[in-house]
Amino acid sequence: MTAKIIDGKKIAEGIKEKLKFQIEGLTIKPCLAVILVGNNPASNVYVNMKEIECTKLGIILKKYCLKENLLEEKLLNLIKALNNDVHVHGILVQLPLPSHIDEFNIIEAIEPKKDVDGFHAINMGCLFIGTPKFEPCTPKAIIEMINSTNITIEGKHAVIVGRSKIVGNPVAQLLLQHNTTVTICHSKTHDLKEYTKQADILVVAVGIPHLIKEDMIKEGAIVIDVGVNRIEDITYKKGYYLCGDVDFEKVINKASYISPVPGGVGPVTIAMLMSNTLKAYHLIENGKAI
Ligand code: GUN
């Protein structure tokens, strides 16, 4: 069997086309504030991509690039100002933050109505009790990609490798709410292969290049690769290339559907950020509570 490719770029284009049409009809344009602290090369790339996509859709992106040694208090002050700014609808603080800044304090300072990442405890809580307000963008993208296969997932076994706050944990909740049976594996799981081999749907988000090999996959599984690993290689124009957590070239022969890296989860995640920004816009402009 050769798997069909879940084309993230194409899925994202479809979502963005609809959003663009909705945004064109607005007199006041949605505004997303993005805060970048320090000089993490991957974060720089992600923020630039968000900026490009926002511009295409008619979303104003206000970018705040701050120095690595910024005091936590200064960042909290900026967030307070953005919370109170009626022209700003969404606030995103790019992660990871430098180690001297407490990530939890920063996320909790964001007004939940403007929390387009869905990372605030209120939004996470709403997600976990089954009434999501802002679903985190990557988990939301993963569900969209699985749905694009048109395979019924109710009753199927979803195995997630990775238990991060921003991907593994929330996607497990979303999959549960879609009536799949969910197993979460992580770095301390013994005999990972025993679990991954049982997966009708396998979501991998650990950041280990090519961790998942062909013999770890059930024949016909849907495989979603969330890993974006930079491999330094001077023979490439940029000095590196990107690969996922799944050994794509081999696993493609066993899965029924597989998402590539790049061109898989990444573009859909950005489309979901645009969608959450429009949602924040409506909450703010219409004065609705979360
Ligand atoms: N860093 C990696 N992924 C994300 C994300 O989804 N949101 C933010 N804010 N930072 C990230």
Side-chain angles (χ1 to χ4, degrees):
M1 174 187 282
T2 302
K4 293 193 180 120
I5 307 289
I6 304 178
D7 185 344
K9 278 192 201 162
K10 199 166 148 196
I11 295 169
E13 286 311 320
I15 298 165
K16 287 185 291 184
E17 206 175 299
K18 287 188 197 134
L19 292 171
K20 188 167 188 252
F21 178 74
Q22 290 168 31
I23 293 167
E24 271 166 6
L26 302 171
T27 38
I28 304 168
K29 295 299 170 198
C31 172
L32 173 65
V34 174
I35 303 174
L36 178 63
V37 186
N39 242 322
N40 180 317
S43 293
N44 278 328
V45 173
Y46 293 144
V47 170
N48 285 340
M49 288 191 311
K50 287 168 187 172
E51 192 169 17
I52 291 167
E53 295 306 326
C54 275
T55 308
K56 281 191 206 159
L57 261 63
I59 295 173
I60 300 163
L61 187 136
K62 282 191 177 178
K63 189 159 92 173
Y64 297 85
C65 295
L66 307 169
K67 291 210 177 82
E68 178 86 25
N69 62 359
L70 176 83
L71 287 178
E72 184 172 316
E73 196 192 341
K74 297 263 184 224
L75 182 52
L76 288 169
N77 288 341
L78 172 59
I79 292 171
K80 268 184 215 149
L82 295 170
N83 284 343
N84 293 328
D85 186 337
V86 291
H87 303 296
V88 171
H89 304 103
I91 303 171
L92 180 146
V93 179
Q94 187 66 31
L95 302 176
L97 286 167
S99 56
H100 68 279
I101 297 179
D102 185 327
E103 192 179 291
F104 179 79
N105 286 347
I106 299 304
I107 291 170
E108 290 314 293
I110 297 171
E111 158 60 47
K113 269 198 258 185
K114 297 190 179 186
D115 173 32
V116 288
D117 262 328
F119 295 164
H120 191 288
I122 288 185
N123 286 317
M124 279 289 174
C126 288
L127 174 74
F128 274 65
I129 59 172
T131 48
K133 305 292 185 232
F134 285 106
E135 291 163 333
C137 304
T138 305
K140 197 172 170 185
I142 294 168
I143 299 295
E144 191 75 26
M145 292 170 83
I146 295 170
N147 284 342
S148 79
T149 66
N150 285 324
I151 289 176
T152 308
I153 63 171
E154 183 166 301
K156 300 271 168 70
H157 187 192
V159 176
I160 298 153
V161 187
R163 56 173 158 179
S164 70
K165 275 181 297 194
I166 64 177
V167 185
N169 247 309
V171 82
Q173 281 306 315
L174 290 180
L175 284 163
L176 265 179
Q177 287 160 24
H178 283 77
N179 293 328
T180 64
T181 301
V182 177
T183 300
I184 307 179
C185 302
H186 47 78
S187 56
K188 301 288 186 287
T189 300
H190 292 173
D191 229 341
L192 179 64
K193 184 168 146 183
E194 284 313 308
Y195 295 94
T196 57
K197 269 167 50 183
Q198 295 175 36
D200 301 308
I201 300 154
L202 181 65
V203 177
V204 194
V206 279
I208 304 176
H210 294 174
L211 172 73
I212 304 298
K213 312 280 186 219
E214 195 179 1
D215 64 347
M216 298 169 81
I217 301 278
K218 180 177 180 177
E219 189 85 42
I222 300 174
V223 179
I224 308 289
D225 189 353
V226 189
V228 183
N229 305 294
R230 261 177 193 246
I231 312 292
E232 306 295 328
D233 187 332
I234 49 161
T235 60
Y236 283 77
K237 208 165 103 191
K238 290 183 178 165
Y240 66 88
Y241 68 93
L242 298 178
C243 79
D245 293 347
V246 175
D247 186 353
F248 181 89
E249 302 299 330
K250 298 272 168 55
V251 170
I252 194 171
N253 298 317
K254 207 157 175 196
S256 60
Y257 287 87
I258 187 167
S259 71
V261 177
V265 177
V268 189
T269 295
I270 295 187
M272 292 308 172
L273 173 65
M274 312 285 113
S275 163
N276 278 356
T277 302
L278 188 57
K279 192 170 184 175
Y281 170 90
H282 288 301
L283 279 175
I284 299 292
E285 290 297 322
N286 303 324
K288 286 193 187 144
I290 262 214

